């Protein structure tokens, strides 16, 4: 059944198929990745330039800085209450009740290390003396950036409106 000639034919067929496979891979690589950078020198950017009549030069993106005090003045404590749900896993809003984080009751305009029975990290005490609305805004935006080395494991709240609403809610608690 398997004599020498049959084995030679099977091995030759396998080698031929493998050679065709390698040559096909080489040809595809040459066709689709022609050039040093993968697309050749003539291909610098992907896309089309659309000329607009009356447009002079390139338009620059306008990024407006929003004044936090203006946003805070129109903040909604009711919307901030909904945002509070993300904080309550570590913080409490009852006076004197600490969780993983300190109690946030009366935190606006309170000294940084004022929560009794809570051991603050040195990073927080070093960057601010009082939790003003502006300090809270900066901390909530990027805790690790505001106070490098803080023990708070929260990545931050990106929208300035959300931060203002949350601060307005926290400020309304001690009324």
């Amino acid at each position: 059944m398997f004599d020498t000639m049959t084995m030679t034919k099977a091995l030759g067929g396998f080698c031929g198929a493998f050679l065709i496979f390698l040559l096909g891979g080489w040809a595809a690589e040459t066709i689709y990745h022609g050039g040093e950078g993968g697309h050749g020198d003539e291909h610098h950017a992907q896309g089309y330039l659309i000329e607009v009549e009356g447009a002079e030069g390139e338009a620059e993106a306008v990024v407006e800085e929003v004044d936090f005090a203006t946003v805070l003045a129109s903040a909604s404590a009711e919307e901030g209450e909904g945002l509070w749900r993300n904080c309550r896993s570590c913080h409490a809003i009852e006076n004197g009740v600490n969780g993983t984080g300190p109690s946030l009751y009366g935190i606006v305009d309170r000294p940084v290390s004022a929560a009794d029975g809570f051991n603050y990290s040195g990073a927080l005490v070093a960057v601010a003396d009082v939790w003003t609305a502006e300090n809270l805004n900066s901390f909530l935006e990027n805790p690790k950036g505001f106070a490098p080395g803080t023990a708070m494991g929260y990545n931050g709240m990106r929208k300035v409106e959300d931060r203002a609403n949350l601060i307005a809610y926290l400020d309304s608690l001690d009324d």
Side-chain angles (χ1 to χ4, degrees), residues 6 14 21-22 24-25 32 39 59 61 67 69 87 93 117 131 138-140 147:
T6 305
F14 176 76
F21 173 75
L22 290 176
Y32 295 113
H39 292 289
D67 182 38
C87 307
I93 53 175
W131 283 121
S138 298
F139 184 68
L140 289 171

Side-chain angles (χ1 to χ4, degrees), residues 116-171:
D116 292 330
F118 188 78
N119 187 20
Y120 287 87
S121 63
L124 284 175
V125 177
V127 294
D129 295 327
V130 176
W131 283 121
T132 63
E134 290 77 18
N135 284 342
L136 283 168
N137 176 51
S138 298
F139 184 68
L140 289 171
E141 180 179 16
N142 183 2
K144 303 261 188 232
F146 180 75
T150 184
M152 186 162 161
Y154 181 63
N155 287 332
M157 190 176 283
R158 301 293 169 234
K159 292 184 179 178
V160 68
E161 294 83 8
D162 289 347
R163 294 191 304 269
N165 290 337
L166 180 60
I167 293 168
Y169 171 68
L170 293 173
D171 193 27

